[in-house]
């Protein structure tokens, strides 16, 4: 019999493939630190977006896969670069004028425009942590400000002084000539203005652990690199952190991929071993543009959770991480329904197929049972035609279709009914466009209404689908997709829709006949 570990060692699911790469680091010798460290990085320059969450979730999937194939303990560190200077004012936050006064100060030294936390960096960190906690991630949060100020990087910063030339050699090779003239891997925090300074170094004293530079006014300063007086530019900081913490795995977006040799090189210069990497494709907004925390385009975490449960987001994150994907509202219904399809398939699968099923990775090996007897897309269409203003209105139809279903016994369906009403109100209703049928379509719909009037088959969705199919065939629709498109456009005001037989079973035969009558009379638009 195939054991879980045997199946995992041979699984082609991408989290297991990545986990096996991490395990290979320690095939000869266990980690001296006593655990394998997974890390995710977060730049808290704006409100967290879904891409940030995806990084943590995907890393967690690989971590869980690793725990199946190895007995080495693991940790997940979510590291926030909150000491980074605020380079521009985000477009999606209040009180932009106030924020402008604090440009170039570390994010943890910028007041919170929302007035809820000690700083803007603390606010954005809290937004990230709130969601990670909501989803139940097992992680440790780390703040760059705290690490720098508490001296946790002091040893590495002293080593950066000692090996300054080697670090600069790596960095200068990647920069344009003009940038080379003023670049330094060290960014001093101005003792008076508190701003992060991008200035060249006049001297780096490895013995004393100090840097000397002129500020923007020409005044000379000498500061210790330790104790939070200085931070590193973000590329050297990446490699330094890997060396300081002995990171074993970190994933990042494709926009970082060209920097990988820089991160690795600096890590090695500082005596560390570069971690395993995983580069994922970027998330795009509805216009195909990269989503950005500062622009606030694409979907936020809270927006997704307004219209669907967290598990559907987990499903979307699992799918093809190396393929660019649109991250907009219209992807939600499909993600919800495909997640539940996989959930229903899981109990019937052998161990190998279960490890390849996204729900194994979403739920850490213990997926729940699905109680979604009605697909989310169908609930949307029901909301469209039923005129239901609340969940109770939808449940009246659901219980006629599935008498054994209830809000208590089907909590996922009950929650989905709420989500569907919100989604319909905000995205479907404003975009519906009903059209009049052609003569051929009108005749076919009249025929469908007549056959439904004589229907004796109850609410059998498959039998009703066959009936609708037969009407389209009898009226010469070729391809038959054109017949179903006509039904959707005339009766639902959309170009796509559910299996129409299932829709009739849910909405009701008499109700569908009445709907066809209104559509043919032009009363729906």
């Amino acid at each position: 019999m195939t054991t879980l570990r045997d199946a995992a060692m041979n699984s082609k699911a991408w989290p297991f493939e990545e986990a096996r790469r991490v395990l290979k680091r320690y095939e000869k010798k266990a980690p001296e630190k006593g655990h394998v460290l997974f890390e995710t990085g977060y730049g808290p320059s704006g409100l967290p977006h879904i891409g940030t969450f995806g990084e943590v979730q995907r890393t967690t999937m690989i971590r869980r896969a690793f725990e199946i194939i190895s007995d080495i303990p693991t940790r997940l560190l979510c590291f926030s670069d909150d000491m980074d200077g605020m380079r521009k004012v985000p477009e999606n936050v209040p009180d932009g004028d106030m924020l402008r006064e604090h440009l170039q100060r570390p994010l943890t030294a910028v007041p919170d425009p929302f007035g809820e936390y000690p700083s803007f960096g603390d606010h954005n960190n809290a937004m990230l942590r709130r969601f990670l906690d909501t989803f139940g991630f097992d992680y440790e949060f780390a703040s760059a400000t705290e690490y720098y100020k508490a001296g946790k990087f002091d040893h590495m910063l002293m080593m950066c002084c000692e090996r300054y030339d080697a670090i600069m050699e790596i960095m200068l090779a990647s920069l344009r000539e003009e940038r080379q003239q003023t670049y330094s891997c060290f960014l001093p925090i101005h003792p008076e203005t508190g701003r992060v300074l991008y200035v060249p170094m006049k001297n780096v004293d490895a013995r004393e652990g100090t840097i000397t530079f002129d500020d923007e006014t020409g005044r000379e300063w000498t500061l210790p690199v330790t104790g939070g007086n200085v931070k590193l530019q973000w590329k050297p900081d990446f490699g330094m952190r890997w060396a300081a913490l002995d990171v074993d795995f970190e994933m990042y977006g494709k926009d970082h991929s060209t920097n990988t040799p820089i991160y690795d090189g600096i890590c090695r210069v500082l005596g560390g071993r570069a971690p395993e990497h995983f580069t994922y494709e970027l998330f795009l907004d509805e216009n195909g543009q990269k989503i950005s925390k500062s622009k606030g385009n694409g979907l936020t975490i809270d927006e997704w959770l307004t219209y669907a449960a967290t598990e559907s987001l987990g499903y979307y994150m699992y799918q093809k991480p190396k393929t660019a994907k649109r991250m907009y509202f219209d992807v939600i219904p499909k993600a919800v329904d495909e997640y539940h399809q996989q959930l229903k398939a899981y109990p019937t699968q052998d161990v190998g197929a279960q490890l390849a099923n996204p729900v194994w990775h979403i739920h850490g090996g213990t997926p729940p049972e699905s109680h979604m007897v009605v697909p989310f897309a169908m609930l949307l269409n029901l909301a469209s035609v039923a005129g239901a203003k609340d969940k109770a209105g939808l449940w009246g139809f659901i219980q006629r279709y599935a008498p054994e279903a209830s809000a208590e016994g089907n909590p996922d369906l009950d929650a989905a009914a709420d989500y569907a009403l919100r989604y319909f109100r905000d995205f479907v209703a404003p975009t519906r466009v009903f059209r009049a049928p052609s003569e051929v379509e009108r005749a076919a719909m009249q025929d469908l209404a007549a056959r439904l009037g004589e229907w004796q088959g109850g609410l059998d969705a498959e039998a009703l689908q066959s009936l609708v199919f037969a009407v389209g065939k009898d009226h010469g629709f070729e391809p038959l997709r054109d017949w179903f498109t006509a039904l959707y456009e005339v009766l639902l005001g959309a170009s796509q829709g559910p299996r129409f037989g299932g829709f009739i079973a849910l909405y009701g035969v008499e109700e569908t006949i009445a709907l066809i009558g209104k559509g043919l009379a032009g009363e729906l638009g």
Side-chain angles (χ1 to χ4, degrees):
M1 181 178 171
T2 303
T3 67
L4 183 63
R5 183 165 287 188
D6 288 340
M9 287 300 289
N10 292 290
S11 176
K12 289 186 168 56
W14 65 262
F16 283 110
E17 291 181 337
E18 294 306 311
R20 290 194 293 269
R21 282 204 301 126
V22 176
L23 181 61
K24 200 167 183 183
R25 291 170 70 86
Y26 296 112
E27 59 186 352
K28 294 178 181 175
K29 182 183 177 185
E32 289 181 13
K33 61 184 179 291
H35 60 271
V36 165
L37 182 61
F38 294 84
E39 185 185 56
T40 64
Y42 169 57
S45 55
L47 304 183
H49 61 54
I50 282 179
T52 309
F53 159 71
E55 205 165 287
V56 180
Q57 210 234 8
R58 287 167 169 171
T59 303
T60 295
M61 289 176 175
I62 297 166
R63 180 189 180 191
R64 295 295 173 233
F66 181 87
E67 289 169 347
I68 296 298
I69 63 174
S70 172
D71 297 321
I72 303 172
T74 65
R75 291 173 61 208
L76 170 59
L77 190 68
C78 295
F79 198 95
S80 172
D81 189 16
D82 55 18
M83 204 169 166
D84 193 23
M86 184 175 69
R87 288 183 287 277
K88 61 181 179 178
V89 176
E91 298 172 12
N92 58 337
V93 299
D95 212 351
D97 290 339
M98 178 278 289
L99 288 179
R100 259 180 281 282
E101 297 173 18
H102 298 276
L103 284 172
Q104 298 307 329
R105 289 198 175 108
L107 289 157
T108 43
V110 175
D112 178 17
F114 298 90
E116 299 171 6
Y117 293 89
S119 73
F120 189 35
D122 287 318
H123 179 277
N124 293 334
N125 287 341
M127 295 301 100
L128 175 72
R129 295 174 72 174
R130 185 189 72 187
F131 184 73
L132 299 182
D133 292 343
T134 299
F135 203 77
F137 285 118
D138 175 21
Y139 71 100
E140 299 163 50
F141 185 80
S143 156
T145 301
E146 191 239 316
Y147 270 54
Y148 272 102
K149 289 189 173 180
K152 294 183 180 181
F153 288 150
D154 281 359
H155 173 69
M156 278 293 158
L157 290 165
M158 292 294 288
M159 196 178 292
C160 287
C161 287
E162 292 173 23
R163 302 178 184 180
Y164 182 72
D165 290 341
I167 293 172
M168 289 294 286
E169 184 180 347
I170 292 170
M171 288 308 306
L172 293 178
S174 70
L175 300 173
R176 295 190 302 273
E177 185 176 350
E178 181 184 351
R179 183 84 174 96
Q180 289 176 352
Q181 308 308 313
T182 60
Y183 183 86
S184 169
C185 64
F186 291 118
L187 298 178
I189 313 298
H190 197 290
E192 291 180 349
T193 68
R195 286 181 160 78
V196 179
L197 300 181
Y198 292 77
V199 290
M201 296 297 105
K202 295 175 77 172
N203 185 50
V204 176
D205 189 324
R207 180 174 300 195
E208 296 296 323
T210 61
I211 55 171
T212 301
F213 60 93
D214 290 340
D215 67 14
E216 306 102 314
T217 68
R219 290 169 68 193
E220 183 177 280
W221 298 85
T222 297
L223 294 179
V225 295
T226 54
N229 292 291
V230 173
K231 77 177 293 287
L232 293 179
Q233 291 256 20
W234 68 274
K235 291 178 188 177
D237 188 79
F238 231 102
M240 180 276 291
R241 201 165 69 226
W242 285 352
L245 304 176
D246 191 16
V247 174
D248 291 298
F249 179 91
E250 181 150 357
M251 66 164 56
Y252 37 78
K254 185 182 179 182
D255 50 347
H256 281 265
S257 59
T258 55
N259 297 325
T260 298
I262 296 173
Y263 304 153
D264 286 354
I266 288 170
C267 178
R268 293 187 186 108
V269 161
L270 295 174
R273 179 188 184 189
E276 304 304 311
H277 324 106
F278 180 93
T279 304
Y280 58 83
E281 262 290 359
L282 303 177
F283 293 108
L284 310 175
D285 66 11
E286 74 274 27
N287 299 314
Q289 301 297 311
K290 175 193 167 190
I291 61 174
S292 156
K293 291 187 293 293
S294 58
K295 285 184 183 175
N297 59 335
L299 275 177
T300 67
I301 291 164
D302 288 339
E303 283 170 337
W304 185 293
L305 296 184
T306 300
Y307 304 106
T310 49
E311 293 80 11
S312 60
L313 177 55
Y315 175 83
Y316 194 74
M317 289 297 165
Y318 180 86
Q319 298 299 313
K320 298 180 180 175
K322 296 204 170 185
T323 301
K325 292 203 288 272
R326 287 175 75 256
M327 181 60 76
Y328 200 60
F329 295 101
D330 55 6
V331 305
I332 293 175
K334 187 168 182 275
V336 173
D337 284 337
E338 289 184 359
Y339 163 73
H340 280 281
Q341 288 165 11
Q342 296 285 4
L343 213 52
K344 289 171 183 173
Y346 185 84
T348 66
Q349 296 172 326
D350 63 26
V351 64
Q354 286 181 336
L355 293 182
N357 189 324
V359 301
W360 189 96
H361 301 274
I362 294 164
H363 296 284
T366 55
E369 185 181 348
S370 172
H371 299 96
M372 280 282 285
V373 294
V374 178
F376 189 72
M378 194 76 81
L379 291 173
L380 288 175
N381 289 114
L382 182 59
S384 178
V385 299
K389 297 290 187 286
D390 56 28
K391 192 165 56 175
L394 293 186
W395 267 107
F397 291 94
I398 294 169
Q399 287 185 310
R400 183 175 61 183
Y401 171 72
E404 72 287 354
S406 68
E408 298 75 27
N410 303 67
D412 43 7
L413 177 58
D414 188 54
D418 254 338
Y419 291 133
L421 284 167
R422 276 185 225 140
Y423 191 95
F424 169 74
R425 180 191 64 228
D426 294 346
F427 300 109
V428 180
T431 61
R432 286 191 300 175
V433 179
F434 294 90
R435 68 169 177 85
S438 68
E439 287 308 309
V440 172
E441 292 166 350
R442 177 178 293 276
M445 290 182 197
Q446 287 171 335
D447 186 13
L448 175 59
R451 296 195 202 187
L452 286 174
E454 298 170 359
W455 180 254
Q456 300 294 319
L459 300 178
D460 184 330
E462 288 305 315
L464 285 164
Q465 180 72 5
S466 297
L467 172 68
V468 179
F469 192 90
V471 171
K473 219 168 177 187
D474 290 347
H475 286 265
F477 284 91
E478 188 60 44
L480 269 169
R481 187 186 306 112
D482 292 348
W483 163 230
F484 288 98
T485 300
L487 289 169
Y488 304 143
E489 292 179 347
V490 174
L491 304 180
L492 301 177
S495 57
Q496 298 180 62
R499 282 174 61 84
F500 208 76
F503 169 75
I504 298 170
L506 178 61
Y507 186 46
V509 173
E510 292 299 324
E511 288 80 1
T512 303
I513 294 170
L515 181 67
I516 293 171
K518 287 182 179 179
L520 297 181
E523 295 173 5
L524 295 176

